[in-house]
Amino acid sequence: SNGKKAGEERRRQRERGKKAPTKDQKESENEGRRTNKKGKEGENKQKKDRKTSTSSASSNSSEEESLAEEELAMLMEQVEQKKKLISTMRNKPWRMVKKLSVLREAQAFVEKFEGALGKGKGKKLYAYKMMMAKKWVKFKRDFDNFKTQCIPWEMKIKEVESHFGSSVASYFIFLRWMYGVNLVLFGLIFGLVIIPEVLMGMPYGSMPRKTVPRAEQATAMDFSVLWDFEGYIKYSALFYGYYNNQRTIGWLKYRLPMAYFMVGISVFGYSLMVVIRSMARNANENTADGDDDNFIFSWKMFTSWDYLIGNPETADNKFASITTSFKESIVDEQESNKDENIHLRRFLRVLANVLIICCLCGSGYLIYFVVKRSQTFSKMQNVGWYERNEVEIVMSLLGMFCPPLFETIAALENYHPRIGLKWQLGRIFALFLGNLYTFLLALMDDVNEKLAEEDVVKNITRWTLLGHHNSSAGNGSTATPPPLDPADVPRGPCWETTVGIEFVRLTVSDILVTYITILVGDFIRACFVRFMNYCWCWDLEAGFPSYAEFDISGNVLGLVFNQGMIWMGSFYAPGLVGINVLRLLTSMYFQCWAVMSSNVPHERVFKASKSNNFYMGLLLLILFLSLLPVAYTIMSLPPSFDCGPFSGKKRMYEVIQETIELDFPLFVAKIFSYVANPGLIIPAILLMVLAIYYLNAVAEAYQRANAELKKKMQMQREEEKNKRNNKASTNPALQDLEDLLTPSTKSESHPKQAEDKKIESPNKTSPVGKEGRAAALDGSPTTGGRGAAFTPPPHVFVTQPPTLGLRPPYPGQPRPRGHPMGPVPGRGRGQPRCSYPA
Amino acid sequence: MGNKQTIFTPEQLDAYQDNPFRQRIAEVFSEDGDGNMTLDDFLDMFSVLSEMAPRDLKAYYAFKIYDFNNDDYICKSDLEKTVNKLTRNELTPEEVNLVCEKVIYEADVDNDGKLSLEDFQHMIIRAPDFL
């Protein structure tokens, strides 16, 4: 290395002072890479001395020289290099002392010459730009920190996670996400529909649709009436019927009916976009690591400890869960080697499925029966509280008792817990879906009846108004007739408000049932087990009933279905989303408390990270299913004649046509009429179908290519293992000679191996890796003998790429160092090449 | 320096003593390999353990931490020590043996019976919840 230093000095004196520091720096960098990472102190000191000497040399020479064009470019390049060094400094595994000194030197250099660069082209502007760039980076970092701090409930969820594991925490993360979505929807509806109507529309009592009818006014403030969402609540901005059909309201000329319609559509549009975006993000993360079940045990060993635990109790839990998880993997491993009686298993599974289908049909029929009965009840006069709420009660009871029933039947099936969970979720989903659609069918019957009633009421209203005018005209001849008090006008049945009320009542009863279930099922049970254990015959904590485990699947499905009902009902009851936001907020706190105080961690702990897309898939399905009824009613049912923003029109979507005709210039109407032509729409749909097919084919092709590559990697690994096994006994020197004498096959496999390595770790070929290999090569004793084996045939060495003699898995390694490949006999470079492995 | 508590009672300190690898972390980041750190070593440790450190750097230091005997390889005895520290000696020796063998089978690419830095890096880079 002395010879090298001499060469460097000479080179430095030959070239200009400014260029030397960089080249020197690069050389020292390369030096740093090649030497052992453990950092010999002497080496460091030497480098520091050299650096200080070069920096002093540069500071002397910079002042007097004037900057010519090429020097400017050269200088810029050096500055860029230094900047790159600064930015990648973090990735280098050097000691902190070394890093700090190199960093300071590079920063000093950049500062000194950045200003100098500006002399040529307007120093102030350049310096200003640099400063702005730095400030921008700092601002972005601060903003990121701020954003992370703004995420609500992070500590709460972490606490739950540290006690119960990631699957329970994933439910709460899902809940938080739903809360965010609902908040946005609420903002849309509240800001664009409710507020304008309340501020700029006609006040309460001014129109028939906004007033409680005379007949009901006596009881309109009673709590029981309000609880049923009748009375004053029914005639408020919470429901569809309140809104006026005036085309523009207020001095802003705000088009309320149009806004109502567009907000209704955009609620679905936004939800769809957000769900699909979330699914795509999850799918990306999944394919990034693939299903690498190759490393189960290794990952368990090296990544299972959570370094963020700061609580001894939690640490105990974590130790226990790690132990359990190891035991479970061991059991899994052993079970996969076992053979089972397949026929018995199949029979049991078929039996279980038959039983469950019976249950589902039974529950569907029960709901249908109950809904039909409620229709006959509504015709009766004095109905008790039970009869009025029978439908909701039955649905809630079914939702409470069927899932545990399914679970006990599923015990017959003997699946792996993760698969069993998916089956359970699917069945509960089918149950809720059946219930919901039966409910909707019954509701549709109701709506049709109301529509028939409307015609009758329309006539009555007209005659009443006529009669009133005649009578008032009879009293005073020329005076304008006093308007009929809005409370006295006969009212139509307003089916949209009825539908809205039904959904709101269903939601509220669902909320109540959920909270009461948690309170009784978890909290009271925990209290009972805890306190009665002292005076009970058998051990309550270990046997029945013991503490409850957190039911992830039930809770997630409840959340998903609740959201489905919100989507369905929000068009007819704009206030529903607000109620849901409140519900989610309180639910978060309530359930966090309940989980921490009354639940115990699951016995079998398994990772739930991949189920996230499953939940999103369910949500997407529910979104489509809840879009259908709303779209159907918008398209095919006529709106009520005297309530809501679309009253008086034949169909609700006519508001769009009206707006286009009246508010937009003529050509827009023409454009829309062309676009709406079926001749244009059908080819567009065909085109989209073709695009989907094409993208599907491309995705499949990529997947196949992926699988092939993985197989190739596997095979290579097996090959290497076999080779190692076979050759473990032979002389390493002989082996090297053998390798050298078969260059053709090796050079063919090299590009493939290099390519595979590149594909394997595209962005992760890091200096660390290279350093590691270098260190392993240089420092470890095992390759020392191999290094000795190199020196005998130097002539072969310089004609072949030096990689052949080294371990075959790392062919691409010396190349990035810039050593020229191929024969280089003439230069004195042969010297360092032989010496570097030593 | 304000009214933050700077002197901890032994009981409070005990509450933070649960990391099973605390001894190894101190050893790896210290100058003399014995657990005594200068300020720069301390900074180094936190810089590597922070969220913003790149995965390769973390993988490199993780390898050093799990290499109990400092021979640049994670051999079977290192693995056994790791497992016992993680489970506080709750597993039976056969189970420990099985786990170690599985790990070596899964991650050892060059088949020398122990994990080198490359094996370790290759395996840990894909792990979804690595640090």
Side-chain angles (χ1 to χ4, degrees), chain A residues 678-689:
Chain A
L680 196 62
I681 290 190
I682 293 188
I685 293 182
L686 274 178
L687 193 66
M688 283 198 280
V689 167

Side-chain angles (χ1 to χ4, degrees), chain A residues 507-519:
Chain A
T507 306
V508 167
S509 75
D510 185 51
I511 295 174
L512 283 177
V513 166
T514 312
Y515 282 11
I516 292 182
T517 315
I518 294 180
L519 209 55

